[in-house]
């Protein structure tokens, strides 16, 4: 791609090397001989083109936004500027938690594309959980990532003028925020056109859509999503947005980046762990099932423990923003520990609410999880999904009463024994 080519045009396997072949930061990694490049389109997500480009010299990932939702087609248009927000979120995440995201080599705003590090032999975490594989250090890495990005992207740490300006910039990601507002917080709870669910779940869907108290709670969480610009979040931190080897973890795909509640990312992450947990009987034999399910619950416990520990460390060492300033507390000989406890309680409450809502939308709204979808026996899938739906309901309703991660995991064990179908 040359600097003169400003009119957006989707890449193809055939045109990619010609259009990118004169960009130094790319040829530095692939070599200048574009005839030696090979390209493969591997995008299996809902929104974008993704290419692996290889040469004898190396490999890169090329990701380009499409002007519509790929899962649906051009009947659902989307702005190309989501690539801008993904790029800038990746850069902020790299600064706030070095090594947590792929290295970026090139960004073109006009063409809505990002060229980045090719992660190999990394595999999408969701696939690893379905296969029953384990990742060393996963909980610590992701707990630290959520804590560092939440704290360092907030008024606890940032210069307030910079935080306000950045918040204003990210309001431009309104179309992707609207997807979250619709598909997560709204569509699961009425007969939306794009909804679909597994055969046999109608009685449970009826319960959810007729639970007015719960639906009010969901909308209260939506209000927090729209109004509480606490920190810059990934916005879509699920097990398909994480790539791992046996001992390394990287976070990808933050195009839903936005300023919102500190508990959002960690809540969405935990919800995906729970969906992996409840789906396991569809993937494991009895000899492996209990042990692997307990490993997932341990992953939840350890992830949130790492989050709390790192958030606490940052509170004590990097609290330089306008919130809870040292001049009001430590400088007067007063402890700020009660304020920290209150902040962590507020984050956990929001995380649990988001967790329950995400457990619903991934079974009832447009984009479902492979954890359940790859269970071919519909009767088994429905039985496991019913447990997931009903626990999600309790999390939404009891989000302010569950005050520690151990109680959350105990609740999962209880629902894992329920026979709803």
């Amino acid at each position: 791609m040359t600097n003169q080519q400003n009119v957006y045009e989707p890449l193809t396997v055939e045109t990619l090397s010609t259009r990118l072949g004169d960009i130094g930061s790319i040829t530095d990694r692939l070599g200048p001989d574009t005839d030696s490049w090979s390209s493969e389109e591997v995008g299996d997500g809902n929104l974008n083109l993704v290419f692996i480009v290889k040469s004898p010299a190396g490999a890169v990932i090329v990701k380009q936004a499409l002007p519509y939702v790929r899962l649906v087609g051009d009947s659902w248009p989307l702005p190309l500027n989501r690539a801008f927000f993904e790029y800038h979120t990746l850069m902020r995440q790299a600064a706030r938690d070095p090594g947590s995201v792929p290295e970026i080599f090139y960004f073109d705003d006009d063409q809505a594309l990002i060229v980045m590090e090719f992660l190999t032999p990394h595999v999408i975490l969701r696939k690893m959980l379905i296969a029953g594989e384990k990742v060393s250090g996963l909980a610590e890495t992701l707990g630290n990532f959520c804590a560092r990005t939440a704290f360092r992207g907030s008024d606890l740490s940032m210069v307030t003028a910079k935080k306000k300006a950045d918040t204003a910039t990210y309001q431009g990601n309104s179309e992707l925020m609207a997807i979250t507002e619709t598909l997560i917080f709204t569509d699961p709870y009425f007969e939306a056109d794009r909804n679909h669910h597994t055969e046999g779940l109608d009685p449970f869907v009826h319960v959810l859509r007729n639970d007015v108290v719960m639906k009010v709670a969901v909308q209260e969480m939506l209000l927090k999503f729209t109004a509480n610009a606490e920190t810059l979040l990934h916005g879509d931190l699920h097990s398909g947005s994480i790539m791992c080897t046996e001992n390394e973890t990287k976070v990808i795909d933050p195009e839903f980046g936005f300023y919102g509640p500190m508990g959002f990312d960690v809540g969405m992450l935990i919800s995906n762990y729970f969906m992996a947990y409840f789906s396991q009987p569809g993937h494991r034999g009895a000899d492996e099932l209990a042990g692997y399910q307990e490993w997932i619950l341990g992953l939840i416990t350890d992830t949130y423990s790492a989050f709390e520990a790192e958030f606490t460390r940052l509170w004590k060492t990097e609290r330089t923003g306008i919130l809870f300033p040292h001049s009001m507390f430590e400088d007067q000989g007063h402890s700020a520990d009660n304020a920290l406890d209150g902040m962590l309680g507020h984050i956990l409450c929001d995380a649990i609410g988001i967790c329950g809502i995400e457990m619903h939308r991934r079974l009832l709204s447009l984009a479902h999880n492979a954890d359940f979808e790859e269970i071919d026996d519909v009767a088994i899938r429905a039985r496991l999904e019913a447990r997931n739906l009903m626990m999600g309901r309790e999390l939404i309703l009891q989000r302010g009463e569950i005050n520690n991660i151990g109680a959350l995991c105990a609740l999962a064990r209880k629902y894992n024994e329920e026979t709803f179908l």
Side-chain angles (χ1 to χ4, degrees):
M1 183 182 307
T2 66
N3 292 332
Q4 288 75 35
Q5 184 179 355
N6 294 322
V7 177
Y8 171 83
E9 180 183 351
L11 291 166
T12 67
V13 168
E14 293 74 24
T15 64
L16 188 146
S17 61
T18 301
R19 293 178 60 190
L20 303 184
D22 62 355
I23 298 169
S25 59
I26 300 176
T27 58
D28 286 348
R29 286 154 181 87
L30 297 178
D33 180 11
T34 58
D35 289 340
S36 71
W37 295 11
S38 63
S39 304
E40 179 186 5
E41 210 282 301
V42 296
D44 60 357
N46 299 327
L47 300 179
N48 307 292
L49 295 170
V50 180
F51 300 87
I52 299 174
V53 188
K54 296 181 178 179
S55 77
V60 298
I61 289 289
V62 177
K63 182 175 181 179
Q64 186 180 36
L66 289 167
Y68 52 81
V69 177
R70 185 175 186 176
L71 179 65
V72 176
D74 56 13
S75 64
W76 189 348
L78 272 185
L80 296 172
N81 68 355
R82 66 184 187 273
F84 169 91
F85 293 107
E86 177 168 4
Y87 166 73
H88 283 281
T89 305
L90 283 166
M91 297 304 288
R92 285 156 176 74
Q93 290 170 342
R96 291 166 186 167
D97 187 18
S100 63
V101 299
E103 183 180 355
I104 303 301
F105 303 134
Y106 178 74
F107 171 62
D108 187 312
D109 198 6
D110 292 324
Q111 297 301 317
L113 71 84
I114 307 170
V115 181
M116 67 188 83
E117 176 185 3
F118 173 48
L119 298 174
T120 184
H122 299 67
V123 176
I124 291 293
L125 176 59
R126 180 172 291 138
K127 294 180 180 179
M128 298 181 77
L129 295 174
I130 291 171
E133 299 174 8
K134 297 179 180 180
V135 179
S136 176
L138 177 64
E140 182 179 8
T141 298
L142 293 179
N144 286 343
F145 173 82
C146 289
R148 291 166 184 170
T149 54
F151 192 96
R152 290 170 173 162
S154 77
D155 281 310
L156 290 167
S157 176
M158 290 182 71
V159 174
T160 186
K162 184 175 180 181
K163 161 69 160 47
K164 286 177 169 60
D166 214 39
T167 303
T169 296
Y170 274 85
Q171 290 300 307
N173 204 13
S174 57
E175 284 85 356
L176 265 69
M177 292 171 68
I179 290 177
T180 300
E181 291 155 3
T182 301
L183 295 188
I184 295 180
F185 290 98
T186 309
D187 280 5
Y189 304 105
F190 77 105
E191 292 285 350
D193 290 340
R194 292 184 289 259
N195 288 353
H196 61 102
H197 59 262
T198 299
E199 181 182 352
L201 290 181
D202 285 353
F204 306 97
V205 176
H206 179 79
V207 168
L208 298 180
R209 291 182 181 163
N210 286 278
D211 189 334
V212 175
V213 174
M214 187 202 71
K215 290 194 294 184
V216 169
V218 171
Q219 291 301 288
E220 289 171 350
M221 291 305 302
L222 174 57
L223 176 60
K224 290 194 172 192
F225 178 88
T226 60
N228 289 15
E230 294 175 354
T231 194
L232 177 62
L233 296 172
H234 180 285
D236 197 28
L237 188 61
H238 54 73
S239 54
S241 297
I242 299 161
M243 297 191 71
C244 304
T245 65
E246 290 183 355
N247 52 26
E248 184 179 65
T249 298
K250 298 279 188 177
V251 177
I252 63 172
D253 293 348
E255 60 197 328
F256 283 80
F258 75 102
Y259 274 83
M262 287 190 182
F264 189 90
D265 280 352
V266 70
M268 181 171 281
L269 176 63
I270 290 172
S271 77
N272 277 261
Y273 288 155
F274 277 134
M275 285 182 273
Y277 171 80
F278 283 118
S279 69
Q280 285 303 312
H283 304 296
R284 304 270 83 73
D287 56 332
E288 300 176 318
L289 178 59
Y292 195 68
Q293 282 189 307
E294 280 301 310
W295 180 80
I296 294 174
L297 292 184
L299 183 60
I300 294 169
T301 300
D302 293 345
T303 298
Y304 202 78
S305 295
F307 173 87
E308 285 194 322
E310 181 64 3
F311 195 94
T312 298
R313 185 188 72 81
L314 295 171
W315 177 278
K316 295 181 181 298
T317 60
E318 295 186 15
R319 201 172 78 249
T320 56
I322 62 169
L323 291 180
F324 308 100
H326 282 254
S327 59
M328 288 179 62
F329 295 94
E330 288 87 350
D331 292 353
Q332 297 182 48
H334 303 150
S335 172
D337 288 351
N338 285 343
L340 171 61
D341 291 343
M343 179 68 75
L344 289 173
H346 149 77
I347 291 171
L348 180 60
C349 179
D350 285 355
I352 290 172
I354 292 299
C355 179
I357 295 167
E358 176 74 356
M359 290 167 76
H360 287 169
R361 80 96 172 191
R362 282 293 188 174
L363 302 188
L364 305 181
S365 190
L366 175 64
H368 289 202
N369 270 13
D371 305 77
F372 291 111
E373 293 291 287
E374 291 188 6
I375 299 172
D376 293 329
D377 189 315
V378 174
I380 293 174
R381 187 199 314 161
R383 174 168 55 85
L384 303 178
E385 289 182 342
R387 294 171 177 171
N388 184 79
L389 288 176
M390 299 312 289
M391 178 171 166
R393 174 176 177 265
E394 183 159 351
L395 295 187
I396 295 166
L397 291 170
Q398 301 297 325
R399 66 193 187 281
E401 308 302 319
I402 302 169
N403 56 18
N404 64 78
I405 206 71
L408 195 62
C409 290
L411 199 62
R413 292 187 186 94
K414 170 181 173 290
Y415 275 93
N416 192 53
E417 298 299 322
E418 295 283 358
T419 303
F420 293 107
L421 284 173

